[in-house]
Amino acid sequence: MDDGIQDELLSLEGKEVGDQLKERVYEESKKIWKTALPGMIARVTSFGALIVTQSFIGHISSVDLAAYALVQTLTVRFVSGILIGMSSATETLCGQAYGAKQYHMMGIYLQRSWIVDFITATILLPLFIFGSSLFKLLGEESDIAEAAGYISWWFIPLIYGYVFTLTMQMYLQAQQKNSVVAWISIVQLLVHVPLSWLFVYQLNWGIDGAMAALTISSWLVAFAQLGYVMGGWCPQTWTGLTTASFKDLLPVVKLSISSGVMICLELWYNSILVLLAGYMPNAEVAISAFSICLNLNGWEFMISLGFLGAACVRIANEVGRGDVKATKFSIKVLISTSVVIGVVCSILCLALGHNLGYLFTNDVAVVKSVSNLSYLLALSMLLNSIYPVLSGVSVGAGLQGTVAVINLCCYYVIGIPVGALLGYVAHLQVQGIWIGMIIGIVGQTLALSYMVWKTDWDLQVKLAADRLHRWSLKSSAHNGHA
């Protein structure tokens, strides 16, 4: 064959392979964004409600701003971390059941998660009831601790709302119906902002007004989601309340605990760093500036959690379906897309760093402190785009226990001790604490990357099939409706 013709054939073949790859990436990206975008919108807007409340409180007084920051970044993040983690068991089980076409089991898994999460939230109530004493015990300033104790009481209804909203979001996400969650969350924010303005500025209810607006808008989400699930929009997966939800609770509790520990170790990490900032000179400024940065970081992290959810659903669906090649391809597309978004967010943070603090406060000292932390914030945003996706892959495969061990070592054996040394011994203060946090996250990212690379996906498919078979009830076996 003529060399020119052979080269042309090879070129055409290469072009065909390239076109096939582009088509595969496009199709996989569509599946990812169908899950990720509504998840991002839902998380960004629901987290945005907390940020809006912080902004209103920040313009009431600096002590209340520091108090709210303490409660939100310590107590609420601690408890919601447990509930988010335990709810991610719903994500694993529902995602794999959907992939295996065991649709009737998804409503039962949802109800089991409600039971487990409700009991967990009740056990954790003393953290809010005795908030003031807890913060004094931790050595926080008396006036901040007293204000934080009062605000803690207001968060109790919010936490019980999470029992339903978090689990239903993951249940709907697993069956590609989470666009409704995004719309409900948008409505929440549209209601929350004017309601906060009305209660705080027009009716002069101060802290009570800000927190009442947050409670009302949060429970609006819970009732709207319950109406959607129970109103006939999930006919295949919701067949009503059933006594079958009380069966096989122990395996769900075990998976929920490993999921809870995995997520909690990530969310508590930032909380402990805020606590360390509270012991710095000029604690009010340190806590306020650090919490503002962590909230901005957290807002971008909500976008990454959208990818975490998409990773979990895509991996759980493909593992449940038994398709190893599709699982591996999905991981590559997920990580590439998320990293691009992380780079964009980092660039925006560097460009706007000097003015970010004014979104939350008029205190010049706090704004300057936020500006000084903007470079570290940009780096954190970049890292946010990588490790949540890897965590989502692990949740989808049911590897929460392994991730929990990695998080424990990287965050608590490396990150916090290094941050404390740099902050207190090297006198780098808040910057030192944050550098320690970043070192821990880098270690976690490398460890998770290695774990995903070395995972035997054929084995994970087999384990998922065994789990689904063992826990499954025949569709006629759960007829004990309440």
Side-chain angles (χ1 to χ4, degrees):
M1 189 184 289
D2 185 80
D3 286 345
I5 295 171
Q6 192 172 2
D7 288 344
E8 195 173 326
L9 284 171
L10 285 169
S11 175
L12 285 169
E13 191 177 311
K15 191 177 179 183
E16 192 177 317
V17 170
D19 289 342
Q20 284 177 352
L21 179 62
K22 282 179 187 174
E23 192 175 331
R24 281 183 70 200
V25 170
Y26 175 72
E27 288 301 319
E28 181 60 36
S29 295
K30 270 206 312 188
K31 291 176 184 175
I32 289 166
W33 280 103
K34 190 177 178 182
T35 303
L37 186 59
M40 284 176 196
I41 293 168
R43 286 180 169 94
V44 167
T45 50
S46 60
F47 190 74
L50 291 171
I51 303 288
V52 167
T53 303
Q54 183 180 28
S55 183
F56 274 96
I57 289 173
H59 289 95
I60 294 170
S61 85
S62 57
V63 170
D64 288 321
L65 174 62
Y68 180 89
L70 269 181
V71 178
Q72 193 223 318
T73 51
L74 286 175
T75 320
V76 175
R77 190 167 287 188
F78 180 86
V79 174
S80 65
I82 293 174
L83 294 176
I84 289 168
M86 296 190 84
S87 300
S88 75
T90 318
E91 211 164 13
T92 303
L93 294 170
C94 286
Q96 292 181 358
Y98 189 78
K101 297 185 178 178
Q102 292 183 5
Y103 303 127
H104 65 283
M105 285 302 299
M106 292 177 67
I108 296 171
Y109 289 142
L110 174 63
Q111 291 171 63
R112 287 174 183 171
S113 293
W114 284 348
I115 295 164
V116 172
D117 282 18
F118 187 86
I119 293 167
T120 305
T122 305
I123 291 168
L124 295 168
L125 266 189
L127 294 175
F128 294 94
I129 294 170
F130 303 107
S132 180
S133 302
L134 179 66
F135 288 121
K136 284 177 183 175
L137 190 67
L138 291 170
E140 297 299 333
E141 292 177 10
S142 181
D143 55 343
I144 295 176
E146 286 291 339
Y150 182 72
I151 289 170
S152 293
W153 279 88
W154 272 106
F155 272 108
I156 291 174
L158 185 82
I159 293 301
Y160 277 108
Y162 282 164
V163 169
F164 298 100
T165 55
L166 293 172
T167 47
M168 282 189 287
Q169 183 175 332
M170 291 169 184
Y171 159 81
L172 290 167
Q173 192 167 266
Q175 54 192 303
Q176 311 288 320
K177 286 189 175 180
N178 62 333
S179 59
V180 68
V181 178
W183 285 112
I184 290 169
S185 298
I186 290 168
V187 171
Q188 178 200 7
L189 200 59
L190 291 174
V191 168
H192 182 65
V193 175
L195 203 61
S196 298
W197 174 80
L198 174 67
F199 288 177
V200 175
Y201 291 130
Q202 296 304 302
L203 299 176
N204 292 316
W205 289 354
I207 298 295
D208 292 342
M211 297 307 298
L214 182 62
T215 303
I216 292 167
S217 64
S218 298
W219 270 96
L220 176 72
V221 174
F223 284 121
Q225 288 181 4
L226 280 166
Y228 182 84
V229 171
M230 295 181 174
W233 284 278
C234 302
Q236 281 186 302
T237 60
W238 179 265
T239 54
L241 296 169
T242 170
T243 54
S245 60
F246 291 93
K247 296 176 184 175
D248 291 322
L249 273 179
L250 190 60
V252 177
V253 169
K254 285 180 180 175
L255 185 61
S256 295
I257 288 171
S258 61
S259 300
V261 171
M262 183 198 96
I263 300 286
C264 288
L265 290 173
E266 290 189 16
L267 293 175
W268 294 349
Y269 187 40
N270 288 351
S271 303
I272 290 170
L273 294 166
V274 171
L275 186 63
L276 288 175
Y279 302 121
M280 293 286 175
N282 201 357
E284 200 176 291
V285 171
I287 293 172
S288 297
F290 199 29
S291 69
I292 285 169
C293 286
L294 287 179
N295 275 331
L296 289 166
N297 187 47
W299 216 339
E300 190 259 353
F301 185 61
M302 293 302 118
I303 296 173
S304 303
L305 281 180
F307 275 98
L308 188 153
C312 180
V313 171
R314 290 295 303 127
I315 302 310
N317 286 172
E318 297 302 347
V319 167
R321 202 171 283 127
D323 194 334
V324 174
K325 284 186 178 177
T327 302
K328 291 178 178 177
F329 186 73
S330 185
I331 293 168
K332 291 172 186 174
V333 178
L334 276 159
I335 292 173
S336 303
T337 311
S338 185
V339 166
V340 169
I341 290 173
V343 169
V344 172
C345 288
S346 297
I347 291 168
L348 283 172
C349 179
L350 289 171
L352 303 171
H354 295 297
N355 299 311
L356 288 172
Y358 285 115
L359 292 171
F360 300 92
T361 182
N362 296 321
D363 190 320
V364 177
V366 174
V367 172
K368 189 177 178 183
S369 186
V370 169
S371 176
N372 292 337
L373 292 170
S374 61
Y375 298 100
L376 294 173
L377 179 59
L379 182 55
S380 292
M381 285 183 169
L382 180 60
L383 292 170
N384 276 356
S385 66
I386 305 169
Y387 75 86
V389 176
L390 298 171
S391 293
V393 169
S394 308
V395 172
L399 296 168
Q400 288 96 323
T402 309
V403 181
V405 173
I406 290 171
N407 288 353
L408 181 66
C409 293
C410 293
Y411 288 165
Y412 297 88
V413 177
I414 300 170
I416 289 173
V418 170
L421 282 171
L422 293 174
Y424 291 100
V425 180
H427 303 294
L428 292 176
Q429 300 199 5
V430 175
Q431 284 95 333
I433 293 172
W434 203 331
I435 291 166
M437 175 178 84
I438 288 170
I439 289 168
I441 291 172
V442 168
Q444 180 218 27
T445 304
L446 293 172
L448 286 175
S449 301
Y450 180 76
M451 186 193 80
V452 170
W453 178 51
K454 296 294 286 184
T455 295
D456 183 342
W457 290 104
D458 291 299
L459 176 63
Q460 294 309 316
V461 165
K462 183 178 178 300
L463 291 172
D466 289 345
R467 184 191 299 125
L468 289 170
H469 177 72
R470 192 165 63 250
W471 293 0
S472 179
L473 299 168
K474 290 182 180 176
S475 55
S476 60
H478 61 281
N479 54 8
H481 297 299

